[in-house]
Amino acid sequence: PPAEAAPTAEAAPAEAAAEPPPFDPGLTPRQERFCRYYLTEPSATRAAIKAGYSENGAGQAAHRMLKNVEILQRIDAVRRS
């Protein structure tokens, strides 16, 4: 019997373009983790702690990050993915 044709990947480029890159080079690794945890944690402070910020400074770090345009754009990109 003839071999079945492999499925085409025509839809893959459009899907890949819609997904954010796995890591935004403009952010530090902790900032990137904060963006991802922010979408799943009940508070920005808890997201900062899970991302690696100290418990003592997490609230201030979270407040500062939520004013950063690059971080807000990354949170939106991760949310849409």
Side-chain angles (χ1 to χ4, degrees), residues 23-42:
F23 179 76
D24 185 329
L27 301 179
T28 68
R30 279 195 308 180
Q31 289 172 329
E32 177 70 25
R33 287 192 305 268
F34 172 80
C35 293
R36 294 175 184 273
Y37 284 126
Y38 182 70
L39 297 174
T40 61
E41 287 299 312

Side-chain angles (χ1 to χ4, degrees), residues 9-79:
E10 291 177 22
E15 291 173 16
E19 288 196 25
F23 179 76
D24 185 329
L27 301 179
T28 68
R30 279 195 308 180
Q31 289 172 329
E32 177 70 25
R33 287 192 305 268
F34 172 80
C35 293
R36 294 175 184 273
Y37 284 126
Y38 182 70
L39 297 174
T40 61
E41 287 299 312
S43 77
T45 300
R46 301 227 7 104
I49 292 168
K50 285 188 83 170
Y53 291 86
S54 73
E55 289 188 24
N56 291 335
Q60 290 176 335
H63 180 76
R64 185 176 57 251
M65 286 187 284
L66 290 176
K67 290 181 172 182
N68 182 317
V69 174
E70 288 181 31
I71 289 177
L72 293 174
Q73 289 173 342
R74 181 61 178 162
I75 290 170
D76 187 49
V78 172
R79 181 181 288 131

